[in-house]
Amino acid sequence: MLTIHSMSTLSLSRNVVLFGSAAAAFVAGVYVIWGPNQKKRTKQKGTCPGLLNLGNTCFLNAVLQGMAPCASVVHWLTEFVEKRTHSDSSCYLASTLLKVLKVLNNDSIEHTQDYCPADVIAALRLRRWVISEEEQDAHEMFHVLTETLDEEATRFPRVLPLFDLSALQGCRSAQCQPAASARSKIEADLPVLPQRDFRHPFQGLLASQLQCKKCGHKCPVKHDTFDSLSLSFPPAAGGSLTLDRLLRHFVMSETVQNVECEGCGRLQEVAEVMGVHGSGSGDGHSRQTAPKAMFVKKLTVAKLPQCLCLHLQRTVWLNNGMPMKRYEHVAFPEVLDISRYVYPKTDRVKTLLTPGVGLCDSRPASRRLVGGNHCTAATPSKSDRRHKTVSMPYSGPISLLKALNYHTRLSMNGFFVQPRQHSIQDDPGSPSVALLAQAYRSEVAQSVSERNTYKLVGVLVHLGDVFSGHFVTYRRAPSTNGQRFPTRWLYTSDTAVKRVAFSDVLQCDAYMLFYEKI
């Protein structure tokens, strides 16, 4: 039986519940009508979406934001995906990467807020990449992305089983090359070789060559592919560090000891035959092995990529085996010209680019035959005809052909130079040839500089020490009026995106630099 006290307590509790329900309904109505603060959710005008951090994935977010302003990368990915329309393009990393880059460039209407890059990690794991939940290096992630893109662009044929004689003797057209273009010596089909449709924009070629310091003999050039150039810091960082200084340190010549020199061996054989070092009646035992000499190894860039990625190696190892981070600031330009680090195609262009050198002086002094002060036009002997020589006039670019046609006044069609005997007017010291060489040098220098010029589009920065830290990216803002290189710059740190001045970009301590060819 309820008492009066208990009945009053129930009525009080019921009033409290009713009041609390009314207050909750009022708060919910206010939230629905006015909603949250839209200024915190709306993306700032002139910026780009951010990327969610899935734990410790700032290294991936920074690389994606650095690749986004590279227009050639987006164009390459678009062509790659379009050529894979007959297959399931969703299984490719290129398709996933293209979708993310379009979001970061405000080129997607599906995602206007912060985007989750989980699909990129899932695509990499499908390619059997192990990506742990710990902190990783952004440069290593960049190589994982480029290597995966290179694998997807390379089509490998199916391996034929050796025990299947029918498949080996008469394979299908999908496994073998066309019979009209490729046949073996026994009139059998040849298997399809691995082929690459087209290389991604970050891939280039490095050229390394050895040259003897004694005789000047040059070994064949060896080429190696690269996706990025890792620039090490000088041991003693005296003075200001610049990107040009790191590039010069990268291509600096290296001395190699005790290398067998074929050039020195040929010179030694010639000397023995001519009796310079004796009668030449030796048993030939000393000529079985080439003499060893000191060589100089030169490293240059043989083929420039469309997008150049420069990695500044800030991690160094001390003598006790402990890693240490270099915190020095490296000054980098907005426009980068790397013509001086490119492998010279021919000595001809290199000579013409040198002021004070005539058109006839096309070879170095150590490789020229010295016979007088003038470039003669004597008829070559039979022994000289066996050698490949470059005679006047030099068959260079069209502009030089036109200039030579105007100079000789013997062209019948205004384009090709007619052969003739050279007179005293073709002397390198004459004013006409000097003006011709000067005009050609300026034209070649301008064309080479234009081909080897890049513009900055993104900078990755590492905040922290060698054991832990955070990656952020400075990048160009997405283009709104069709500009290839917008002037606005953004600071991105996962989901935090804000506009910054270009002076702030130049003052940051870069870890990776993204340049795109102009």
Side-chain angles (χ1 to χ4, degrees):
M1 184 175 182
L2 296 176
T3 60
I4 298 176
H5 178 71
S6 60
M7 292 179 63
S8 61
T9 303
L10 288 175
S11 61
L12 181 61
S13 301
R14 184 179 301 175
N15 295 334
V16 172
V17 172
L18 292 176
F19 178 77
S21 301
F26 176 77
V27 173
V30 172
Y31 181 85
V32 171
I33 295 174
W34 284 278
N37 189 3
Q38 297 293 335
K39 295 183 179 180
K40 296 182 180 180
R41 294 173 54 91
T42 304
K43 179 170 62 69
Q44 184 181 359
K45 186 177 180 180
T47 61
C48 67
L51 294 174
L52 297 176
N53 194 323
L54 305 178
N56 292 316
T57 59
C58 65
F59 60 94
L60 175 62
N61 298 342
V63 173
L64 294 177
Q65 291 283 9
M67 296 174 62
C70 300
S72 56
V73 176
V74 179
H75 179 70
W76 183 88
L77 292 174
T78 304
E79 289 188 351
F80 182 87
V81 174
E82 290 178 354
K83 289 185 177 181
R84 301 300 190 277
T85 54
H86 60 278
S87 60
D88 186 12
S89 60
S90 61
C91 61
Y92 292 99
L93 171 66
S95 177
T96 305
L97 191 60
L98 176 62
K99 182 179 179 181
V100 177
L101 297 186
K102 284 187 175 181
V103 171
L104 297 180
N105 289 331
N106 295 333
D107 197 15
S108 176
I109 60 176
E110 299 179 0
H111 305 279
T112 57
Q113 300 297 328
D114 299 332
Y115 185 76
C116 179
D119 294 340
V120 178
I121 299 179
L124 292 175
R125 287 175 177 172
L126 286 177
R127 297 292 178 178
R128 299 182 180 181
W129 287 103
V130 179
I131 303 177
S132 62
E133 297 180 357
E134 300 177 354
E135 296 183 5
Q136 305 293 337
D137 183 23
H139 184 241
E140 294 180 359
M141 172 54 62
F142 173 78
H143 273 290
V144 168
L145 295 175
T146 54
E147 186 174 346
T148 305
L149 293 176
D150 186 63
E151 292 177 357
E152 293 181 352
T154 306
R155 295 184 296 176
F156 292 93
R158 186 176 65 88
V159 179
L160 298 178
L162 298 179
F163 296 99
D164 192 354
L165 297 180
S166 61
L168 293 175
Q169 294 177 357
C171 54
R172 301 176 181 177
S173 60
Q175 301 171 355
C176 295
Q177 303 183 38
S181 60
R183 300 287 290 180
S184 65
K185 293 182 178 180
I186 59 175
E187 296 299 326
D189 297 333
L190 293 178
V192 177
L193 299 177
Q195 57 181 346
R196 184 176 287 105
D197 295 340
F198 42 89
R199 301 180 184 274
H200 58 78
F202 288 101
Q203 192 169 89
L205 288 177
L206 287 176
S208 59
Q209 189 176 34
L210 293 173
Q211 183 177 7
C212 180
K213 297 185 66 175
K214 184 177 181 181
C215 67
H217 171 72
K218 292 183 179 181
C219 298
V221 181
K222 295 183 179 180
H223 295 91
D224 298 309
T225 60
F226 72 91
D227 297 335
S228 64
L229 298 180
S230 295
L231 309 179
S232 59
F233 284 67
S240 60
L241 288 178
T242 61
L243 185 61
D244 182 73
R245 181 180 176 183
L246 298 186
L247 287 171
R248 283 188 281 109
H249 184 263
F250 177 77
V251 300
M252 186 173 54
S253 301
E254 179 184 358
T255 304
V256 183
Q257 303 284 347
N258 299 326
V259 179
E260 294 183 358
C261 181
E262 298 179 359
C264 293
R266 288 193 294 265
L267 292 178
Q268 183 177 351
E269 291 179 1
V270 172
E272 291 179 357
V273 171
M274 298 180 63
V276 177
H277 298 290
S279 60
S281 60
D283 55 357
H285 178 72
S286 59
R287 296 193 300 271
Q288 293 181 358
T289 59
K292 295 183 178 181
M294 182 183 300
F295 276 67
V296 176
K297 182 179 179 181
K298 298 180 180 179
L299 183 65
T300 52
V301 181
K303 182 180 179 181
L304 292 172
Q306 184 65 26
C307 295
L308 180 62
C309 177
L310 301 177
H311 167 229
L312 278 59
Q313 294 182 351
R314 293 190 174 273
T315 302
V316 296
W317 298 89
L318 303 178
N319 296 330
N320 56 2
M322 293 295 294
M324 184 189 69
K325 179 182 176 181
R326 300 284 295 266
Y327 292 92
E328 293 91 339
H329 174 72
V330 178
F332 51 90
E334 181 181 7
V335 179
L336 177 64
D337 185 9
I338 60 174
S339 300
R340 66 172 69 182
Y341 314 111
V342 178
Y343 176 77
K345 301 299 181 182
T346 58
D347 294 336
R348 186 75 182 184
V349 176
K350 183 178 180 181
T351 305
L352 289 174
L353 292 176
T354 304
V357 180
L359 288 174
C360 294
D361 299 333
S362 60
R363 291 172 291 176
S366 60
R367 301 177 60 185
R368 290 205 310 266
L369 295 177
V370 181
N373 296 328
H374 300 284
C375 180
T376 61
T379 303
S381 61
K382 294 183 178 180
S383 60
D384 294 335
R385 291 173 182 174
R386 291 194 298 265
H387 302 281
K388 295 181 179 179
T389 58
V390 179
S391 59
M392 283 284 293
Y394 168 63
S395 179
I398 296 178
S399 58
L400 180 60
L401 289 174
K402 292 180 179 179
L404 286 172
N405 290 336
Y406 176 78
H407 174 66
T408 57
R409 297 191 301 273
L410 291 179
S411 176
M412 301 299 296
N413 52 11
F415 188 77
F416 294 101
V417 178
Q418 304 296 330
R420 69 181 182 89
Q421 295 292 333
H422 305 294
S423 61
I424 193 64
Q425 295 180 357
D426 293 326
D427 178 58
S430 63
S432 58
V433 176
L435 292 176
L436 172 63
Q438 182 180 1
Y440 180 64
R441 279 196 297 265
S442 60
E443 182 177 354
V444 171
Q446 182 179 1
S447 61
V448 170
S449 177
E450 292 176 354
R451 292 194 303 267
N452 303 335
T453 305
Y454 291 82
K455 200 163 188 178
L456 184 68
V457 294
V459 183
L460 265 70
V461 181
H462 178 262
L463 306 175
D465 54 19
V466 71
F467 299 104
S468 179
H470 179 66
F471 287 101
V472 298
T473 303
Y474 292 90
R475 54 157 294 186
R476 290 186 183 270
S479 178
T480 57
N481 53 0
Q483 285 183 332
R484 187 182 175 188
F485 300 102
T487 57
R488 297 189 306 271
W489 281 83
L490 304 177
Y491 168 86
T492 63
S493 175
D494 293 335
T495 57
V497 180
K498 64 178 181 179
R499 297 180 60 176
V500 294
F502 183 65
S503 58
D504 298 335
V505 180
L506 297 178
Q507 294 176 1
C508 69
D509 296 332
Y511 179 66
M512 294 176 63
L513 297 169
F514 287 94
Y515 283 91
E516 188 170 12
K517 186 176 292 186
I518 299 179

